[in-house]
Amino acid sequence: MLSFTLSKANDVAGAVNEVTSKKEANFIAGGTNLLDLMKIDVMTPRHLVDITQLALKTIDGNEAGGLRLGALATNAETAYHNEVEKRYPVLSHAILAGASAQLRNMATDGGNLMQRTRCYYFYDLATPCNKREPGSGCSAINGFNRIHAILGQSEACIATHPSDMCVALAALDAKVNVTGKNGDRTIPFLEFHRLPGDKPELDNNLQPDEIITSIDLPANGFADNFAYIKVRDRASYAFALVSVAAALEMEGDTIKEARLALGGVAHKPWRKPEAEANLKDQKATKGNFQKIAEAYLEGAKGYEHNSFKIELAKRAIVRALSQAAHLEEKEQA
Amino acid sequence: MEEQKANKEGQSEQPHNDTRRDFLKQSSLLTALVLTPPTVFNAAAARLDEKVAEKFEKVPVTLEINRVKQKLSVEPRVTLLDLLREQLNLTGTKKGCDYGQCGACTVHVDGVRVNSCLTFAVMLDGKKITTIEGLAEGDELHPMQQAFIKHDGFQCGYCTPGQIMSAVACVREGHANSEAEIREYMSGNICRCGAYPNIVKAIQEVKNGGQKV
Ligand SMILES: Cc1cc2nc3c(=O)[nH]c(=O)nc-3n(C[C@H](O)[C@H](O)[C@H](O)COP(=O)(O)OP(=O)(O)OC[C@H]3O[C@@H](n4cnc5c(N)ncnc54)[C@H](O)[C@@H]3O)c2cc1C
Ligand code: SF4
Ligand code: FES
Ligand code: FES
């Protein structure tokens, strides 16, 4: 690892000031993604701004009647928070489906949003990768692409965003509060991460001078009808091949509102609100769930090793919606 | 052998007397200079500046490790795992992968289990660290250590310190209520020898024995 200097930020303005005034500077929170990437020289910051002392750890009610998650609350604190468990169980389940108990104790909510892809070539300095080195080419398109994207990818990059937490946040229509040199702004969750297009080096729309301060959850947490399904190569401690967050608002067996977000299939958590809208006022049946599954995967494109994800995603959608509507039991550890 | 060398070096490394280490560092630096052709030397000049500068970049940090307060001086890029093993002679904590993927390096920071390989030591100023060496009370093994012995919860033993630190936390967190739950909450600790069934038994015994962990 290259040597670097480190400073501790005492307040948000100080953190923004440090990261903009120092050359090649990065924030560091839990460190679980950054250390990983620094050890292999994929990320080579020369200065780190330690933001773990900032007063952004609380989880509290917000003006909208929802909940505000401090950017420095850990994934574990968030998943086990009373209000999150009670009102936003889909978020709790998604977080607990990710990483390990140790990592969730370290990982922060802000850092989870910012974690980078697990594409093998991104991690391997010996191979071309447009995300790591713009213009060098994409090794995955014709390489081993089992974990890669089937939706929204580009010729330049077929990487996926690996987070579980973000899939639930996308389904919940969360908002990301950030502060930069020019003040505060709020980014709707679906606009936070981006598709690769011809700039795969950019994972999201956060600007270099901006820090995430909190994440707002709206009032409706879909606590009665939800499911998070994660399909992976082993039962625990593995990233998703496909994951689905499903949340329904029901009246009897009629759906009033449906939310469906997919993980492991695209450069960002995948939602298709126009397809969700088709479930409104429909009965909760497997037939209707199959229809929305087809609509979600319309236009999906697989590669040599990941075409299986298309059918897998459809089945996971039907299962998640069936569990959310209580047509099927949840299988939980 | 490697490990011993590192330890010796580590032991002598107090803030006030790291002269031997510095001398070695400098002398190898000088040897490098002598052996390097001038062209490469010019290209590498910036890099050498950096090496020399590093020596001034150690940061003071106070940690309470296994109930003993220690004032240390550490480079920012040193992980808690490397600090423990290579500078403090606490080699009970193991390096399995160094990337958060195996759990061999699990320790408690302020009572919470974490992967010491993914933590910079300088970010832990003022915190309490407990490693496997700090679990026993004098000669009295911790109940989890006893249970691992009783149930043969290991084969080669390399993952064991991490397993035990994680297992203690698992019980304290209240996540040891069934075999399935233990397996899920211990999934951050990989055992290459496959001692899992016995590890689960050891944890269940401690949990059901109701001893204070
Ligand atoms: C072995 C392993 C398995 C894992 N498995 C899973 C899994 O199954 N599912 C899953 O979802 N995740 C998984 N993770 C990823 C883990 O969840 C992330 O690494 C973690 O959430 C990152 O948070 P952090 O606080 O440690 O971030 P850091 O490593 O501290 O930072 C990551 C990046 O975010 C930036 N950053 C951090 N905080 C802020 C902020 N407030 N504002 C702006 N920028 C910020 C940093 O500058 C850095 O670039 C796994 C990780 C490992 C190592
Ligand atoms: S998929 Fe993206 S991250 Fe992976 S090699 Fe291609 S450009 Fe790099
Ligand atoms: S050495 Fe830290 S998790 Fe493997
Ligand atoms: S006992 Fe050998 S790795 Fe677990």
Side-chain angles (χ1 to χ4, degrees):
Chain A
M1 192 186 303
L2 291 182
S3 67
F4 56 87
T5 50
L6 182 136
S7 57
K8 287 187 203 299
N10 300 316
D11 52 39
V12 171
V16 168
N17 196 40
E18 271 295 283
V19 94
T20 45
S21 61
K22 294 274 191 332
K23 259 196 223 148
E24 296 176 66
N26 259 119
F27 297 122
I28 180 161
T32 59
N33 193 222
L34 197 53
L35 260 82
D36 204 11
L37 294 166
M38 285 172 69
K39 284 183 185 193
I40 50 171
D41 292 340
V42 169
M43 288 183 77
T44 52
R46 305 316 309 270
H47 183 79
L48 289 183
V49 183
D50 175 357
I51 57 173
T52 55
Q53 308 299 313
L54 299 184
L56 299 174
K57 291 181 190 141
T58 48
I59 298 179
D60 232 331
N62 60 19
E63 300 107 40
L67 212 55
R68 175 164 293 176
L69 315 173
L72 286 158
T74 65
N75 284 182
E77 285 160 359
T78 308
Y80 298 126
H81 191 274
N82 254 337
E83 290 287 302
V84 177
E85 281 184 331
K86 206 168 67 198
R87 295 177 59 193
Y88 307 92
V90 69
L91 178 59
S92 207
H93 283 229
I95 293 174
L96 295 178
S100 67
Q102 289 97 311
L103 288 161
R104 294 191 298 263
N105 283 337
M106 308 162 77
T108 63
D109 291 350
N112 195 305
L113 268 57
M114 297 296 290
Q115 65 175 300
R116 310 214 59 190
T117 184
R118 308 302 288 201
C119 169
Y120 335 106
Y121 303 103
F122 175 70
Y123 269 74
D124 180 1
L125 289 185
T127 57
C129 165
N130 286 327
K131 189 181 272 303
R132 179 167 33 74
E133 216 183 307
S136 63
C138 170
S139 299
I141 281 194
N142 296 311
F144 192 57
N145 42 35
R146 186 161 184 276
I147 63 170
H148 290 77
I150 50 172
L151 288 163
Q153 67 274 44
S154 71
E155 285 299 305
C157 178
I158 60 170
T160 58
H161 191 261
S163 167
D164 290 294
M165 179 183 190
C166 291
V167 181
L169 291 175
L172 289 169
D173 263 344
K175 292 193 169 82
V176 188
N177 298 313
V178 310
T179 300
K181 274 189 138 165
N182 302 321
D184 304 341
R185 67 179 179 124
T186 296
I187 309 172
F189 204 81
L190 294 186
E191 290 163 32
F192 186 82
H193 296 99
R194 58 186 293 285
L195 292 178
D198 56 5
K199 279 201 167 48
E201 66 274 22
L202 300 177
D203 298 342
N204 55 56
N205 293 311
L206 194 75
Q207 300 304 304
D209 65 312
E210 287 178 324
I211 182 171
I212 301 170
T213 55
S214 64
I215 300 155
D216 272 325
L217 305 178
N220 190 356
F222 299 88
D224 294 330
N225 294 94
F226 75 92
Y228 187 74
I229 285 191
K230 181 173 179 181
V231 189
R232 47 189 152 169
D233 282 327
R234 57 183 185 199
S236 183
Y237 202 14
F239 286 94
L241 288 167
V242 168
S243 71
V244 182
L248 299 172
E249 193 63 48
M250 313 257 307
E251 246 176 55
D253 61 355
T254 304
I255 295 165
K256 288 290 150 197
E257 189 176 356
R259 300 280 182 82
L260 191 60
L262 310 186
V265 297
H267 202 253
K268 59 186 286 190
W270 194 260
R271 265 188 66 192
K272 204 165 179 181
E274 65 276 20
E276 286 171 350
N278 289 339
L279 273 181
K280 192 171 155 56
D281 298 324
Q282 301 294 307
K283 294 268 182 256
T285 63
K286 294 227 169 177
N288 283 334
F289 295 158
Q290 186 66 42
K291 274 189 217 150
I292 189 175
E294 297 295 339
Y296 256 67
L297 274 298
E298 216 175 77
K301 173 173 176 328
Y303 297 83
E304 188 180 354
H305 302 284
N306 74 348
S307 295
F308 71 94
K309 279 192 179 184
I310 298 174
E311 180 59 26
L312 183 64
K314 289 182 193 172
R315 293 184 191 185
I317 289 172
V318 174
R319 176 169 297 174
L321 286 167
S322 301
Q323 288 182 3
H326 304 301
L327 305 183
E328 261 180 44
E329 292 274 315
K330 286 196 180 81
E331 68 274 357
Q332 280 297 324
Chain B
M1 228 11 234
E2 267 309 300
E3 194 160 291
Q4 267 182 0
K5 249 199 251 159
N7 292 341
K8 265 197 208 129
E9 194 179 297
Q11 272 168 347
S12 68
E13 194 179 50
Q14 300 298 325
H16 52 277
N17 70 347
D18 49 6
T19 33
R20 191 182 74 95
R21 189 173 201 235
D22 283 0
F23 172 74
L24 286 177
K25 251 197 181 171
Q26 271 165 3
S27 61
S28 55
L29 208 76
L30 291 176
T31 319
L33 291 187
V34 172
L35 297 176
T36 311
T39 41
V40 179
F41 172 77
N42 288 339
R47 227 25 211 197
L48 287 171
D49 278 351
E50 181 190 293
K51 280 209 156 185
V52 175
E54 273 165 28
K55 284 209 287 277
F56 301 100
E57 282 168 10
K58 287 199 174 175
V59 179
V61 58
T62 303
L63 301 176
E64 190 178 316
I65 301 173
N66 298 332
R67 303 192 197 91
V68 181
K69 218 179 209 171
Q70 307 220 36
K71 286 194 175 180
L72 303 159
S73 168
V74 186
E75 247 194 89
R77 64 177 157 177
V78 173
T79 60
L80 175 60
L81 176 60
D82 286 344
L83 174 74
L84 292 169
R85 290 182 55 82
E86 291 179 21
Q87 293 187 34
L88 301 174
N89 203 13
L90 290 168
T91 53
T93 307
K94 302 300 181 209
K95 184 183 281 191
C97 65
D98 213 21
Y99 294 104
Q101 299 179 2
C102 77
C105 66
T106 304
V107 300
H108 298 176
V109 173
D110 284 350
V112 170
R113 53 172 156 164
V114 302
N115 304 96
S116 60
C117 71
L118 291 185
T119 312
F120 287 129
V122 294
M123 288 174 64
L124 300 175
D125 200 27
K127 305 243 189 232
K128 293 190 171 80
I129 320 288
T130 308
T131 70
I132 189 72
E133 289 93 342
L135 213 49
E137 296 274 356
D139 286 342
E140 180 83 11
L141 287 184
H142 185 279
M144 193 64 78
Q145 291 173 308
Q146 293 176 19
F148 265 65
I149 294 169
K150 179 173 164 196
H151 290 280
D152 221 1
F154 45 82
Q155 197 179 101
C156 77
Y158 197 80
C159 71
T160 313
Q163 297 281 3
I164 291 177
M165 295 312 288
S166 205
V168 170
C170 182
V171 174
R172 285 185 189 158
E173 290 162 11
H175 289 139
N177 297 307
S178 67
E179 185 181 330
E181 194 181 31
I182 292 170
R183 284 181 177 276
E184 171 60 29
Y185 280 88
M186 288 296 292
S187 73
N189 293 81
I190 308 287
C191 175
R192 189 66 179 78
C193 300
Y196 300 113
N198 295 354
I199 293 172
V200 172
K201 274 186 212 145
I203 297 173
Q204 277 180 313
E205 171 165 308
V206 173
K207 157 79 186 165
N208 297 336
Q211 293 132 299
K212 189 179 171 293
V213 289

